[in-house]
């Protein structure tokens, strides 16, 4: 729970969300500040779960209607996004770094401008009011992970990059 993860933005967005519960996993520098914010603003629909290992976290992500990755940092290939999509859970993600390459707006989730709590709230409320689209997005996300992250394809693609680099290196000498 650090500033670059965008949790402050997420909590400000939750001030505009009704009929849903937000679970926040993790620990960090802002934990006390964020908990104080939720108490002072009456956000009784927010729970802090603390640190969870993968065995505890993945079942929760799979059960979630959707997950939110509000990062305000340029993440290359967000594992939070991949883990959510692998579980068939669509993602509302910040439009920054590699997240827009993973989350296709309207297909396997939704995107919002980093730091924009009002836009994030609209995206959350949209997902809450369109359960059939959420289900379709989750299925699309799962299919994407199976296609792109399938082990033999990943190996093949990685080896092709290495062969290309070795061929280029041989030509430069």
């Amino acid at each position: 729970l650090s500033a670059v993860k965008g949790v402050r933005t997420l909590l400000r967005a939750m001030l505009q969300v009704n009929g849903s519960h937000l679970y926040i996993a993790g620990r960090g520098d802002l934990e006390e500040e964020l908990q104080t914010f939720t108490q002072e603003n009456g956000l009784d629909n927010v729970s802090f779960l603390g640190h969870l290992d993968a065995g505890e976290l993945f079942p929760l992500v799979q059960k979630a209607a959707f997950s939110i990755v509000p990062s305000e940092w340029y993440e290359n290939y967000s594992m939070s996004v991949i883990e959510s999509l692998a579980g068939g859970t669509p993602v509302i993600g910040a439009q920054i770094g590699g997240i827009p390459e993973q989350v296709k707006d309207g297909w396997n989730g939704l995107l919002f401008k980093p730091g924009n709590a009002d836009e994030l709230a609209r995206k959350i409320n949209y997902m809450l009011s369109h359960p059939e689209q959420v289900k379709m997005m989750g299925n699309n996300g799962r299919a994407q992970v199976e296609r792109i992250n399938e082990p033999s394809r990943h190996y093949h693609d990685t080896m092709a990059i290495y062969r290309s680099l070795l061929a280029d290196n041989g030509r430069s000498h």
Side-chain angles (χ1 to χ4, degrees):
L1 302 177
S2 64
V4 299
K5 293 298 183 179
V7 184
R8 286 180 180 131
T9 299
L10 176 55
L11 290 179
R12 287 193 319 271
M14 287 303 291
L15 293 169
Q16 303 173 53
V17 174
N18 293 312
S20 182
H21 199 93
L22 173 67
Y23 295 92
I24 299 174
R27 294 220 179 274
D29 299 343
L30 296 183
E31 188 171 359
E32 188 176 318
E33 173 192 323
L34 298 171
Q35 289 176 347
T36 299
F37 180 90
T38 59
Q39 292 165 354
E40 289 176 353
N41 288 280
L43 286 172
D44 55 1
N45 61 339
V46 176
S47 296
F48 290 86
L49 305 176
H51 172 77
L52 300 177
D53 64 33
E56 297 169 305
L57 184 60
F58 192 69
L60 293 175
V61 171
Q62 282 184 299
K63 289 182 207 172
F66 52 90
S67 65
I68 304 169
V69 181
S71 187
E72 295 174 14
W73 181 254
Y74 292 88
E75 297 189 38
N76 290 323
Y77 196 68
S78 170
M79 288 308 297
S80 296
V81 171
I82 292 300
E83 290 165 352
S84 293
L85 297 177
T89 304
V91 176
I92 299 175
Q95 198 165 0
I96 190 169
I99 295 171
E101 294 175 21
Q102 296 173 287
V103 177
K104 310 293 185 235
D105 196 53
W107 191 76
N108 63 355
L110 298 174
L111 295 169
F112 72 99
K113 289 181 186 74
N116 189 326
D118 294 334
E119 185 181 8
L120 176 53
R122 285 192 300 276
K123 303 290 176 146
I124 293 169
N125 286 321
Y126 177 87
M127 295 287 258
L128 292 171
S129 63
H130 293 86
E132 287 303 314
Q133 282 192 293
V134 169
K135 183 176 175 152
M136 178 211 55
M137 288 180 198
N139 291 338
N140 290 343
R142 174 68 187 170
Q144 174 182 316
V145 169
E146 288 175 358
R147 187 179 70 254
I148 294 172
N149 297 90
E150 190 270 326
S152 64
R153 177 179 174 165
H154 183 74
Y155 172 80
H156 178 269
D157 291 349
T158 302
M159 293 308 291
I161 291 169
Y162 286 138
R163 281 191 291 280
S164 170
L165 291 171
L166 287 171
D168 288 346
N169 191 27
R171 280 186 238 146
S172 65
H173 292 300

